[in-house]
Amino acid sequence: MSFEAGQSWAYAAPPEIEDSRIVIGAIVDFEGGRRVACCAVTGALQRGAHGEPERVTIPFVPILLEALAQSVTHHDGTGQLPDDFAVHLAAWQDDPRGATYFTVPFEGSLERMIALQMAALVEQR
């Protein structure tokens, strides 16, 4: 798969959010050949204030290209980034702790992605 900024991708989303998309905003190269796609996700799931699922736009998700390739099912044209994407990208790049990123696939929920990432970190120890 060939990834570029501006692309919109369908991914293995649950049926109730099958129109959700991952939009690539930038691709960043790291030492050692690692490449990270800085993305936004439209129509993702998130738990609301009372625990009910709601659809949201996630303005910034940095994900290793290999994990992105495991997430997506097909290229779906070009996509619109949220207005605050650039602000989140700049904050991520300026983070004094270093630019962190996900190494696990996205499956429709940032909460699930965080849980998968934590499980992967535990397995590595």
Side-chain angles (χ1 to χ4, degrees), residues 21-42:
R21 294 293 181 264
I22 295 174
V23 180
I24 300 173
I27 297 180
V28 179
D29 295 315
F30 283 86
E31 290 180 25
R34 291 172 293 144
R35 300 185 80 208
V36 173
C38 298
C39 304
V41 183
T42 61

Side-chain angles (χ1 to χ4, degrees), residues 2-9 21-28 36-41 61 63 65 68-69 72 75 77-82 85:
S2 179
F3 296 113
E4 296 178 19
Q7 292 176 331
S8 174
W9 289 82
R21 294 293 181 264
I22 295 174
V23 180
I24 300 173
I27 297 180
V28 179
V36 173
C38 298
C39 304
V41 183
V61 179
I63 181 171
L65 281 189
L68 180 60
V72 299
H75 180 241
T78 59
Q80 185 71 27
L81 291 167
F85 175 83

Side-chain angles (χ1 to χ4, degrees), residues 101-104 110-125:
Y101 51 86
F102 289 97
T103 61
V104 297
L110 187 57
E111 294 162 338
R112 170 114 173 103
M113 190 178 202
I114 291 168
L116 289 172
Q117 186 68 61
M118 297 305 290
L121 289 172
V122 169
E123 285 181 18
Q124 291 175 1
R125 291 182 182 205

